[in-house]
Amino acid sequence: MGEQQSPSSDKRKKTPKPETRLAMVRRARRINRELAEVYPYAHPELDFENAFQLLIATVLSAQTTDLRVNQTTPALFAKYPTPEDLAAAQPEEVEELIRPTGFFRAKTKSIMGLSAAIRDNFGGEVPGRLEDLVTLPGVGRKTAFVVLGNAFGVPGITVDTHFMRLARRWKWTDQDDPVKIEAEIATIFPKSEWTMLSHRVIFHGRRVCHSRRPACGACPITHLCPAYGEGETDPEKARKLLKYEMGGRPGQRLKPPPDYPGEPAPAMGPIE
C-alpha cells in the first residue's frame, strides 16, 4: 500500500487559479498609480504650441521617432504656421522639409490634405470632436485622441504600439485590434485617467519595457507584472538597457516641460 499524501502536499501540486477580472482591475489600477509616482512628469513627447502643430506632428510621427519629428517641425511650422499656409504650399517644398521623417510623399499628401479640410470645413480651426477629427485625411482614432487629450483636455486612450504591447503583457487584454483594446481598457480605468494613463504606459514602454529586451531587472513594477522574466532580470545588465532620461540621456523633446528631469534633445544630429 503506497504512502498517503498529506492535504498540504496536494495543495502544493494544484495549479494557481486564474486571475479574476476584479483582481486584474485592481492590479491594473495599482500599476497606473505606481507609474504615476515613477513618471510624475509624463507628457506628450512631441513639441507643439497649438492644436494644429500637435496634429501635424502626430501624423508625421508614424514610422519614426518623436525626436526626429521634433527636429523636423520647427522649419515646417516657421514656413507654414497655419492650415491655410500649409494647404496652399508647393508639395515638393513640403516633401523636402519633412523628408527626415520618412514616407515623406504620403505624409505630405496627408498633412496638406488635412490642412485643406480644416480650412474648408472647419473655418481654419482644428476641430475638438472625435467624429470631426477622424474625417481629416491621415487622421485615425489614435491621432485624434492624442490631439483631444493634449490640446483640448478631452480624455482619451492612445493605443500606439507601446500601449498595445504593455496592455497585453500586463494581461489587461488579449485583443490585437487597437479599437477593441481601447474599448476594453476604457472599462478598467475611470475616464478622468485615460489621457495620463496613456502617457505613463507609453513612457514606460519607451524607457523600460521594450519590445525585444525589456529591462525587467530595472523595472519598478515587477511585483505587479505577470510577464516578469521575459527580459533581462540582472539589475546591472538591465540598467544598461534603460533609455532616455532614466539612462542618463536626453528625451525626445527639444522643448520639454519645465518639470522634465532630463536634458532637452538635440536640435540636430542622428537618432540613437
Side-chain angles (χ1 to χ4, degrees), residues 98-226:
I98 69 168
R99 182 183 291 268
T101 68
F103 302 97
F104 56 91
R105 291 190 180 90
K107 289 179 180 179
T108 293
K109 186 176 179 181
S110 291
I111 64 175
M112 289 188 66
L114 71 83
S115 295
I118 291 170
R119 177 196 63 195
D120 297 341
N121 303 331
F122 300 102
E125 298 291 332
V126 176
R129 300 193 312 163
L130 175 66
E131 54 266 42
D132 293 331
L133 282 168
V134 295
T135 66
L136 302 175
V139 178
R141 290 177 70 86
K142 182 187 81 171
T143 296
F145 281 133
V146 169
V147 174
L148 289 172
N150 299 290
F152 292 100
V154 178
I157 298 170
T158 303
V159 183
D160 72 350
T161 55
H162 301 287
F163 193 101
M164 188 182 307
R165 179 177 73 252
L166 270 59
R168 289 173 56 83
R169 266 186 188 158
W170 291 337
K171 308 298 183 187
W172 293 357
T173 180
D174 58 4
Q175 298 288 345
D176 291 310
D177 179 74
V179 176
K180 291 180 180 177
I181 291 174
E182 176 199 321
E184 284 200 6
I185 302 304
T187 68
I188 298 173
F189 298 93
K191 193 171 184 178
S192 59
E193 284 291 308
W194 289 355
T195 299
M196 287 310 300
L197 169 74
S198 300
H199 289 324
R200 293 165 192 150
V201 173
I202 292 168
F203 253 58
H204 193 63
R206 286 177 167 175
R207 287 154 176 75
V208 179
C209 196
H210 312 135
S211 177
R212 293 181 184 174
R213 291 188 70 196
C216 292
C219 178
I221 57 164
T222 53
H223 54 295
L224 299 170
C225 181

Side-chain angles (χ1 to χ4, degrees), residues 4-272:
Q4 286 191 342
Q5 290 184 329
S6 67
S8 60
S9 64
D10 283 345
K11 214 176 277 185
R12 283 196 301 270
K13 288 186 175 181
K14 287 180 181 176
T15 54
K17 289 183 180 178
E19 186 178 43
T20 64
R21 173 170 172 80
L22 178 59
M24 181 275 288
V25 169
R26 285 175 172 166
R27 179 172 58 81
R29 291 183 177 186
R30 190 174 168 194
I31 286 175
N32 183 41
R33 290 195 300 272
E34 296 199 13
L35 289 180
E37 294 178 6
V38 178
Y39 308 111
Y41 50 85
H43 59 271
E45 294 193 87
L46 292 166
D47 285 325
F48 69 98
E49 294 178 1
N50 53 54
F52 176 63
Q53 289 188 0
L54 179 57
L55 178 59
I56 295 298
T58 305
V59 171
L60 294 180
S61 70
Q63 304 298 314
T64 189
T65 64
D66 286 356
L67 173 56
R68 181 59 81 199
V69 175
N70 292 337
Q71 291 171 328
T72 302
T73 51
L76 179 71
F77 295 147
K79 189 164 187 178
Y80 309 111
T82 69
E84 291 85 355
D85 294 324
L86 189 52
Q90 291 297 319
E92 296 78 13
E93 293 180 6
V94 177
E95 287 177 2
E96 196 55 38
L97 284 171
I98 69 168
R99 182 183 291 268
T101 68
F103 302 97
F104 56 91
R105 291 190 180 90
K107 289 179 180 179
T108 293
K109 186 176 179 181
S110 291
I111 64 175
M112 289 188 66
L114 71 83
S115 295
I118 291 170
R119 177 196 63 195
D120 297 341
N121 303 331
F122 300 102
E125 298 291 332
V126 176
R129 300 193 312 163
L130 175 66
E131 54 266 42
D132 293 331
L133 282 168
V134 295
T135 66
L136 302 175
V139 178
R141 290 177 70 86
K142 182 187 81 171
T143 296
F145 281 133
V146 169
V147 174
L148 289 172
N150 299 290
F152 292 100
V154 178
I157 298 170
T158 303
V159 183
D160 72 350
T161 55
H162 301 287
F163 193 101
M164 188 182 307
R165 179 177 73 252
L166 270 59
R168 289 173 56 83
R169 266 186 188 158
W170 291 337
K171 308 298 183 187
W172 293 357
T173 180
D174 58 4
Q175 298 288 345
D176 291 310
D177 179 74
V179 176
K180 291 180 180 177
I181 291 174
E182 176 199 321
E184 284 200 6
I185 302 304
T187 68
I188 298 173
F189 298 93
K191 193 171 184 178
S192 59
E193 284 291 308
W194 289 355
T195 299
M196 287 310 300
L197 169 74
S198 300
H199 289 324
R200 293 165 192 150
V201 173
I202 292 168
F203 253 58
H204 193 63
R206 286 177 167 175
R207 287 154 176 75
V208 179
C209 196
H210 312 135
S211 177
R212 293 181 184 174
R213 291 188 70 196
C216 292
C219 178
I221 57 164
T222 53
H223 54 295
L224 299 170
C225 181
Y228 174 73
E230 286 186 10
E232 180 57 66
T233 57
D234 179 83
E236 286 301 318
K237 291 179 180 176
R239 270 193 286 274
K240 293 177 182 177
L241 299 175
L242 296 176
K243 293 185 178 179
Y244 309 147
E245 78 282 353
M246 297 187 77
R249 293 184 289 276
Q252 300 280 279
R253 293 186 70 162
L254 279 63
K255 298 178 181 178
D259 60 348
Y260 181 67
E263 295 295 320
M268 297 175 66
I271 299 171
E272 286 189 14

